Amino acid sequence: MHASNLKYIYLSLLLAFICLLLPWSGLALTIRPDFLLLVTIFWLIRAPNMCNVGTAWFAGLLMDLATGGIFGQFALAYTVTAFFAVRYQRRLVLYSGTQQLVYVIILLLISQITLLILKTFAGAHFIGWAYFAPSITGVLLWRIAVAFGLNTGGRARGA
Amino acid sequence: MVRGFNHKLEQQQAPAFFARGPSAFARLVFFAALSLALIATDSRLQYLNSVRQTLVGILHPLQVIANTPTQLYNATTEYFSTHNHLLNENQQLKQLALKQDIALQRLSTLTLENEHLRQLLQANKALVESSILGEIMHVGRDPFTKKVIVNRGEAHHVVAGEAVVDAKGVIGQITRTYPLSSEVTLITDKSLAIPIQVERNGLRAIAFGHGRDNTLDLPYLPANVDVRKGDTLVTSGIDGVYPAGLAVATVSRIEVTPDSPFAHIVCVPKGGVENHKQVLLVSIAHAELSASATTATLPPARMPAAKINLAPSAKPAPAIPEKPQASPASKTHARE
């Protein structure tokens, strides 16, 4: 499957963004995974020559727009995450399915922690450990996608 | 020959797997710096407001697409709701309308009486208010703030600073407007304060959103303050943002600790902060957020109303009567 096409990358990012725009509320909002970041990480791993830190930055900017917060917060969080995703992308070939999941959850947490630091600087309070729920649901979603045959690279394919 | 070969080598592109342009670290530094610059600009300066408005306007169609599934679901469930259910609901609504009609009749007499009393006291006129019906599109996506987005924006003449009210009470205030939607900060948000009055004894205070759970705090009140559990808090209206007398919250808990001179008062909002769909956006004579009204001084936008009422007493026989003042003054006399 040679889906590493720019068209597919942007289409999937747009779809992920629309998923985020769905009118989530209550518990669903608390545990909603960060679809946009998941798709970005997927492409960072699968097609690093086409999707790089800059793409993640743009995705983050979209998130800033959607959340209505100060511009640049999500952008910075996504940028940092993308850096770590790309930095260790080549080692991913050696990772087993479980190792890859750990890698993904660490990436998701990096994004959330960066955002938490930024928000705390802006005067927000920590809103409880449920804040990190999206990372867990995100990695579950990743596992489900792998189970349904999504090729996430490395030895994890079809696991 | 060798030179030609070297040239050829240089021209040859590396395979896609290795061709990565600048290193990831260089990109990180560049984009992180860009983000930080954006954060600084957006939080300290106002340049990006119009950019944000335009971009949100462009994104609006996407938002509409994203909202379609739930709207379709609601429409279908509504369509398939039973005849009986509708009849019941109709019955209930009729009863409610009857009750409210009676209340309204009394209200009109009371309004007249109130106006008359105010004229006797030569007090300022109660501020005129206008309202627009809006619908909550979705809950704000930032977990750190309590916000909702409503489907009325600049195109519908919504101005930042308007109060947002539902059937039971105040739910928040418009803090940002976009072309076709606007952002409402709920009263439970940490950054929102609302001037209130205890309905029972008229005590004035300011309620602050708690931020984490859906409650409000009444800080800076002495430990011996006359506030009881179950007291209703209504808007005092002295800020010129919220109309006076709207229900805000009920006092749910009062804690007095010996080591603090202040009472810790927790209130639960009356309005369905998280569960209503239809809301009213109420503006008081186009009150704007910039006009940070205080008790003592009225913002210039609303000065004429004050002048009209004060005119007869301040200047009994004005030598050079100004046109706008002359007619209301005569009106007052005619009524007396």
Side-chain angles (χ1 to χ4, degrees):
Chain A
M1 187 181 80
H2 261 286
S4 324
N5 225 320
L6 267 185
K7 198 171 66 183
Y8 287 110
I9 292 179
Y10 289 122
L11 202 67
S12 57
L13 285 175
L14 189 72
L15 271 178
F17 186 57
I18 291 178
C19 278
L20 281 171
L21 289 184
L22 290 175
W24 302 86
S25 65
L27 180 69
L29 184 68
T30 321
I31 63 166
R32 179 201 63 188
D34 193 341
F35 299 104
L36 194 56
L37 186 61
L38 279 171
V39 173
T40 314
I41 290 175
F42 173 75
W43 287 118
L44 285 168
I45 291 173
R46 290 291 290 146
N49 53 330
M50 291 189 181
C51 176
N52 214 311
V53 180
T55 324
W57 183 77
F58 268 109
L61 216 54
L62 273 182
M63 273 302 280
D64 278 322
L65 211 57
T67 51
I70 293 170
F71 269 129
Q73 292 180 327
F74 271 98
L76 183 59
Y78 277 29
T79 304
V80 173
T81 313
F83 167 71
F84 286 106
V86 173
R87 183 80 181 72
Y88 299 103
Q89 185 263 338
R90 282 175 185 153
R91 288 183 202 178
L92 202 72
V93 186
L94 304 171
Y95 290 169
S96 70
T98 326
Q99 282 172 324
Q100 191 184 63
L101 289 185
V102 173
Y103 178 65
V104 169
I105 199 169
I106 288 173
L107 288 179
L108 292 175
L109 284 173
I110 287 174
S111 153
Q112 285 210 293
I113 291 169
T114 315
L115 198 67
L116 182 65
I117 293 171
L118 288 174
K119 292 281 183 184
T120 317
F121 272 134
H125 283 310
F126 182 53
I127 49 166
W129 293 104
Y131 170 71
F132 291 107
S135 288
I136 293 158
T137 50
V139 84
L140 282 177
L141 195 70
W142 185 280
R143 184 66 188 83
I144 290 166
V146 170
F148 273 93
L150 185 76
N151 183 358
T152 51
R155 291 197 284 142
R157 69 180 58 184
Chain B
M1 184 81 178
V2 178
R3 246 174 93 187
F5 181 71
N6 271 344
H7 188 66
K8 223 176 182 179
L9 248 184
E10 273 164 25
Q11 272 194 333
Q12 219 170 31
Q13 283 200 337
F17 184 76
F18 298 106
R20 291 194 175 184
S23 76
F25 186 71
R27 287 177 206 242
L28 169 74
V29 170
F30 176 72
F31 284 108
L34 210 58
S35 309
L36 287 174
L38 268 180
I39 292 174
T41 319
D42 199 22
S43 53
R44 292 277 167 252
L45 310 163
Q46 306 297 315
Y47 298 134
L48 292 175
N49 282 356
S50 52
V51 177
R52 185 200 306 277
Q53 283 190 343
T54 324
L55 290 177
V56 170
I58 295 168
L59 281 184
H60 191 77
L62 274 186
Q63 184 63 62
V64 171
I65 292 171
N67 278 356
T68 330
T70 36
Q71 271 174 357
L72 272 179
Y73 173 77
N74 285 343
T76 32
T77 45
E78 219 165 84
Y79 184 79
F80 288 111
S81 63
T82 58
H83 185 67
N84 244 355
H85 176 80
L86 282 179
L87 275 182
N88 270 340
E89 198 179 59
N90 197 2
Q91 194 79 30
Q92 280 172 5
L93 286 177
K94 268 183 187 161
Q95 281 177 0
L96 193 69
L98 191 67
K99 275 183 198 162
Q100 287 178 344
D101 267 350
I102 296 164
L104 264 181
Q105 283 173 23
R106 286 184 53 215
L107 182 73
S108 59
T109 15
L110 282 176
T111 318
L112 272 179
E113 192 182 312
N114 188 12
E115 208 169 286
H116 189 68
L117 285 173
R118 276 174 180 277
Q119 272 173 6
L120 285 180
L121 288 170
Q122 294 180 338
N124 294 332
K125 252 188 193 163
L127 301 166
V128 204
E129 55 216 52
S130 63
S131 61
I132 316 168
L133 188 68
E135 199 170 284
I136 293 175
M137 284 168 82
H138 61 84
V139 181
R141 303 190 178 88
D142 188 352
F144 292 94
T145 54
K146 301 269 178 190
K147 285 175 182 173
V148 292
I149 310 294
V150 291
N151 65 348
R152 290 283 178 267
E154 273 160 10
H156 313 94
H157 309 292
V158 174
V159 187
E162 289 185 7
V164 182
V165 176
D166 75 356
K168 289 190 180 141
V170 178
I171 68 162
Q173 189 182 15
I174 304 268
T175 43
R176 208 181 261 160
T177 53
Y178 302 121
L180 292 168
S181 55
S182 42
E183 180 193 274
V184 180
T185 303
L186 301 177
I187 49 172
T188 46
D189 188 274
K190 204 166 79 79
S191 64
L192 206 72
I194 172 167
I196 55 95
Q197 205 167 10
V198 178
E199 204 177 40
R200 185 169 50 83
N201 56 10
L203 174 87
R204 281 204 204 92
I206 296 178
F208 289 83
H210 188 268
R212 255 176 287 181
D213 26 296
N214 289 323
T215 55
L216 293 147
D217 285 335
L218 277 186
Y220 318 126
L221 287 179
N224 62 349
V225 72
D226 181 19
V227 175
R228 290 180 211 155
K229 192 180 166 185
D231 272 352
T232 305
L233 309 178
V234 297
T235 48
S236 61
I238 56 173
D239 53 349
V241 170
Y242 301 97
L246 292 172
V248 178
T250 326
V251 176
S252 69
R253 204 172 73 232
I254 301 166
E255 283 166 20
V256 180
T257 41
D259 57 336
S260 164
F262 300 115
H264 180 222
I265 304 171
V266 180
C267 320
V268 180
K270 280 238 176 186
V273 166
E274 307 252 299
N275 45 26
H276 276 281
K277 199 92 179 121
Q278 258 85 25
V279 291
L280 267 186
L281 317 183
V282 186
S283 62
I284 302 177
H286 299 289
E288 277 174 37
L289 196 64
S290 57
S292 49
T294 56
T295 10
T297 53
L298 281 164
R302 262 166 271 132
M303 274 314 266
K307 257 187 196 165
I308 290 164
N309 284 296
L310 289 173
S313 66
K315 295 174 190 170
I320 320 144
E322 289 168 46
K323 277 283 179 222
Q325 285 185 6
S327 55
S330 59
K331 223 185 206 169
T332 337
H333 287 301
R335 221 178 259 177
E336 279 168 5

